[in-house]
Amino acid sequence: MKKMVAMIMVLALVLGAATFSASAEVASMKFRITWDAESGRGQAITKIVDQYNALGKTQITVVSGNEDMADILTSDADIFQLPYLLVTNLGSQGALVDMQSYFPSLGDIFPEAVIKLTCVGDALYGVPWLGHSIQMVYNKDMTDKAGVSMDEITSFDELLAAFDAIEAANEGVKAFGMIGKQTGDVSWMSTPYIYDFGGSLVDADGKVVINSEAAKEGLNFYFNVLSKYGQNGWQEHAGGDVMEAFRTQRICCEMQGPWGVTDIWKQAKENQFTVGVMPMSQIINNGEPCKVEVSTYSFALMAESTQEEIDAAVDFINFMISKDAQAMLMDGEYSADFDAYYPFRVPVRADMKDEAFFQEHPEFLAFIEGFANPGLESPIPEWAQIRTEYVLPGLNGIALGTMTIDDYLATVQEAAEKILK
């Protein structure tokens, strides 16, 4: 009996040492976000992480980061917040952990389209967390004056009729904020119309297919139809210029993310107006709901992670994608200028409708709904180079009238094919 007791004690000590050793390896981990950890949004994220740390598990420290590939690959962080294009880029190079087996039920809480953004083949290299979609933000005071109900619009014809009514009822106001400047804004603004009219940038096999009649029709709608309702000088305006025109009530509608709403909240009381958000998916064109540009950030782990580190990270990620933690995102970031908190992104989960913030501000739900139907301006990692060298200057050329849509599509098609080879 004494020998048995001694053996049990030794076994307990061995197991205890093994347990201590495993937990010691993951006693703490660094979570690298793409923003400054001391910024308003860095502090907002840290508040959520602190809730996890209070559970007494692996202690997570939020550290500053960026989206520079070299910096990411040389970082000593353990868990990474990455945009979807970097996830697929790094994943396809074998630099990230395939997390498919650790998160087999993501489809129960996230739109399938969002999950696919971080997949390469059957491998899942990123777990969705937060992001935004671009939707139509509008001045409800102006639409009410025009007798227009934006939530009843289901076609582009009805949208154009609404724009006519808005301009007729609001003297000196243009209906729609247009972008034409050679910046990234002109790409995410115009590209979804290519999809809406049945076109695409690349097909399912990654083959370039942008030079099509459908793409021509979509770009014609943006540059030659919607532009009739654009603000003066839109040909050289970027997203910030549109926000300024909306803020000063020179336009009624703009395509923006959630910041389009909070930007008006930040105005002096006498300059504020009621803001509405129309999900573009309620417009049906070419037999399909309209698409919008989306941007998502996901959790990712480097391939050299140990099993213990992976297990600890998976536990943390499960907490961060839980409904309660996702709801905390809407607590927002602190603005010292206004001594208040404002949301900076929205959760990716599709079941947030009953949360308190969305009950009070249901207009923000549109930015979540957009994740289910993306019309991506950069569908593959290689498109970043194509976009910079050919798409942005070409779209600006269309806006200025120095390039035709036909020439633009042919140029991008040829250049993209060479780059992809």
Side-chain angles (χ1 to χ4, degrees), residues 133-135 156 184-201 214-215 217-219 221-222 226 255 280 285 288-294 373-378 395:
S133 68
I134 301 295
Q135 302 290 354
F156 280 138
D185 297 337
V186 70
S187 178
W188 62 249
M189 182 72 164
S190 60
T191 300
Y193 296 101
I194 291 177
Y195 295 100
D196 293 341
F197 283 83
S200 187
L201 307 188
E217 191 176 0
L219 292 180
F221 181 76
Y222 177 74
L226 289 178
M255 298 298 295
M280 290 300 291
N285 196 59
E288 297 289 338
C290 283
K291 298 179 182 293
V292 292
E293 173 64 19
V294 306
N373 197 33
L376 304 176
E377 58 149 342
S378 293
L395 292 174

Side-chain angles (χ1 to χ4, degrees), residues 267-287:
Q267 293 214 101
K269 291 293 184 182
E270 62 270 19
N271 296 327
Q272 289 186 12
F273 50 85
T274 305
V275 181
V277 182
M278 185 187 82
M280 290 300 291
S281 60
Q282 74 185 39
I283 295 180
I284 307 299
N285 196 59
N286 201 45

Side-chain angles (χ1 to χ4, degrees), residues 206-228:
K207 179 182 176 183
V208 182
V209 294
I210 188 173
N211 192 8
S212 67
E213 285 301 314
K216 179 179 180 180
E217 191 176 0
L219 292 180
N220 179 70
F221 181 76
Y222 177 74
F223 286 104
N224 296 322
V225 178
L226 289 178
S227 63
K228 297 174 183 177

Side-chain angles (χ1 to χ4, degrees), residues 102-128:
Y102 301 103
F103 296 92
S105 303
L106 290 182
D108 294 340
I109 57 175
F110 296 121
E112 182 181 358
V114 166
I115 298 172
K116 286 183 176 180
L117 290 181
T118 53
C119 288
V120 178
D122 295 328
L124 173 74
Y125 292 113
V127 177

Side-chain angles (χ1 to χ4, degrees), residues 64-78:
S64 303
N66 52 36
E67 297 181 16
D68 182 86
M69 183 81 78
D71 289 349
I72 292 167
L73 290 172
T74 56
S75 171
D76 65 349
D78 306 288

Side-chain angles (χ1 to χ4, degrees), residues 161-175:
F163 284 174
D164 286 331
I166 289 167
E167 291 190 356
N170 297 274
E171 185 177 356
V173 170
K174 300 298 290 184

